[in-house]
Amino acid sequence: QEIRDIRTSAIQLTSELGELTIDENNIKLQRENLLKIYSELIVKERNLLDTINKEYGVGNLDLSTGEFTPAQ
């Protein structure tokens, strides 16, 4: 009986380890996806700021009001 109990526990742990490995992989994939999206947002932001600077010149953009103040 004790051997069966040990074997049952080992099988259960093996199953839990497998689930944990799958969860870890899913987290890794989700992290990679979020980092990709973040990088894309940074590029979009830079491109938009470049467009604003080309159109209005160098200055500061107040993100809370949307007001652009040209540099002196």
Side-chain angles (χ1 to χ4, degrees), residues 48-66:
L48 184 55
L49 289 173
D50 287 345
T51 300
I52 291 170
N53 284 336
K54 285 177 186 174
E55 188 170 334
Y56 298 103
V58 178
N60 295 311
L61 179 63
D62 184 337
L63 296 177
S64 62
T65 64

Side-chain angles (χ1 to χ4, degrees), residues 2-68:
E2 190 174 348
I3 291 175
R4 272 191 239 133
D5 291 343
I6 291 171
R7 176 60 63 191
T8 300
S9 293
I11 291 170
Q12 182 180 357
L13 286 173
T14 301
S15 176
E16 289 178 25
L17 282 169
E19 288 177 22
L20 180 61
T21 301
I22 289 170
D23 290 345
E24 287 174 335
N25 187 57
N26 288 338
I27 290 170
K28 179 183 173 189
L29 292 173
Q30 185 178 12
R31 181 180 185 274
E32 289 172 358
N33 187 46
L34 291 173
L35 286 171
K36 179 182 175 221
I37 292 169
Y38 177 78
S39 295
E40 291 169 354
L41 285 173
I42 295 300
V43 169
K44 277 177 123 174
E45 181 183 46
R46 272 194 213 129
N47 290 339
L48 184 55
L49 289 173
D50 287 345
T51 300
I52 291 170
N53 284 336
K54 285 177 186 174
E55 188 170 334
Y56 298 103
V58 178
N60 295 311
L61 179 63
D62 184 337
L63 296 177
S64 62
T65 64
E67 184 178 344
F68 180 82

